[in-house]
Amino acid sequence: MKIVFKLVGLLVLGFGGVTLLSADELWFEGKTQELAVEEGADIMLSVSSEDGDIRVVGEDRGSIEVTLSDFKADDPKRNRAAIMFTEDNGFVRVKLNLVGKLRKTDIVIRVPQRISMRLNSVDGDLRVDDVVGELDVSAVDGDVVLQEVEGGIVANSVDGDIRIILSDTGFKSPISMVTVDGHVHLVTPSNFHADFSASTIDGTFKSDLEYRVKGGGKNFWGDGVNMNGQFGEGGPPLSMKTIDGSIFVKEK
């Protein structure tokens, strides 16, 4: 099905130095800019930030709305920001392009609930609420919090905690949670089934859910654990790893 974008705000400017070949650009005039998409679009959203938090909220909506906390329309020296988008054989790519000081702004994005995302933050936290789709998120010196999410998930952090609260609709796709210096928290529905691995060098593994150990045990090079196990009847792979931190699994 062909996907049609409709521009909200009707602002498309050609400032040099911020271009993406074969992509259209929707430039910001104020703190908030919106890009409307056709219902049912297959969307991949990419966002990167430095020294700022990223929050994404899934809603029953037909557009992507981005708010930048530090954007000042009346500042002639402000740097530019644009929503860049392209379609390739029915697959839509949307990228937030921040230049200069706006790379350090806090970002709030409201999206359709069914969307895939690639989010990266340096010196900032990442939070995603109420989204169904593939998530690839990473933070350096920041926490990762994913709440009421469903889909394949890769969550990484350096010097930060990772917390994932799964939706009640079930665990159907692989999940990887890896942090170097932080804790790993997973909150699951009651009917949770997974084949898991848990590894920590300096920390503990605690689970409110019953599980069966299928291999491994205490880490021979530290005080942590390195085990394989099964929740319920087993299911998609779940990987939980930290070097300096503990792993917690809880039931809703």
Side-chain angles (χ1 to χ4, degrees):
M1 178 180 66
K2 183 167 180 63
I3 300 170
V4 180
F5 279 94
K6 298 176 289 182
L7 302 187
V8 179
L10 298 179
L11 180 66
V12 182
L13 302 179
F15 289 90
V18 189
T19 60
L20 181 65
L21 293 177
S22 73
D24 292 310
E25 303 165 335
L26 180 60
W27 290 86
F28 281 67
E29 277 193 314
K31 288 180 178 291
T32 299
Q33 188 58 275
E34 188 171 8
L35 176 69
V37 296
E38 188 172 289
E39 183 178 359
D42 185 9
I43 307 168
M44 167 60 77
L45 172 66
S46 299
V47 180
S48 296
S49 178
E50 300 173 4
D51 197 21
D53 297 337
I54 300 175
R55 183 180 182 189
V56 181
V57 181
E59 299 175 337
D60 183 12
R61 60 185 298 131
S63 65
I64 297 172
E65 179 187 280
V66 183
T67 299
L68 308 178
S69 64
D70 293 337
F71 189 93
K72 297 179 180 179
D74 57 352
D75 181 359
K77 296 181 180 180
R78 74 185 188 276
N79 291 295
R80 296 290 180 175
I83 300 174
M84 314 183 79
F85 56 94
T86 186
E87 179 193 357
D88 182 13
N89 294 324
F91 182 74
V92 177
R93 295 175 175 86
V94 180
K95 180 181 179 181
L96 180 61
N97 193 358
L98 304 175
V99 181
K101 66 182 182 181
L102 284 179
R103 290 189 61 84
K104 299 183 178 183
T105 186
D106 290 338
I107 305 167
V108 177
I109 309 174
R110 301 188 181 279
V111 299
Q113 286 185 310
R114 291 192 173 274
I115 187 171
S116 296
M117 291 184 288
R118 183 176 294 114
L119 308 176
N120 299 281
S121 176
V122 177
D123 290 328
D125 297 330
L126 291 175
R127 176 171 172 173
V128 177
D129 296 324
D130 300 309
V131 164
V132 176
E134 305 297 307
L135 301 179
D136 184 346
V137 299
S138 63
V140 176
D141 196 16
D143 297 332
V144 173
V145 179
L146 311 177
Q147 298 192 123
E148 299 299 328
V149 292
E150 176 189 343
I153 299 171
V154 176
N156 298 305
S157 180
V158 177
D159 196 15
D161 296 340
I162 298 176
R163 180 178 176 85
I164 297 179
I165 302 176
L166 297 175
S167 70
D168 294 332
T169 56
F171 175 49
K172 303 175 183 177
S173 301
I175 293 179
S176 173
M177 306 168 68
V178 179
T179 181
V180 174
D181 185 8
H183 300 303
V184 171
H185 302 258
L186 179 66
V187 182
T188 76
S190 57
N191 59 338
F192 185 65
H193 305 279
D195 291 310
F196 76 90
S197 61
S199 175
T200 173
I201 293 178
D202 187 9
T204 60
F205 172 77
K206 296 181 180 179
S207 174
D208 292 344
L209 280 69
E210 293 185 1
Y211 62 91
R212 181 166 63 92
V213 176
K214 299 173 66 177
K218 189 175 179 60
N219 237 326
F220 66 88
W221 60 80
D223 296 327
V225 298
N226 184 20
M227 73 167 71
N228 297 318
Q230 178 179 303
F231 291 114
E233 299 175 358
L238 165 65
S239 177
M240 300 172 287
K241 297 180 180 180
T242 177
I243 294 177
D244 186 9
S246 295
I247 299 171
F248 306 94
V249 180
K250 297 184 177 183
E251 184 180 337
K252 283 185 174 180

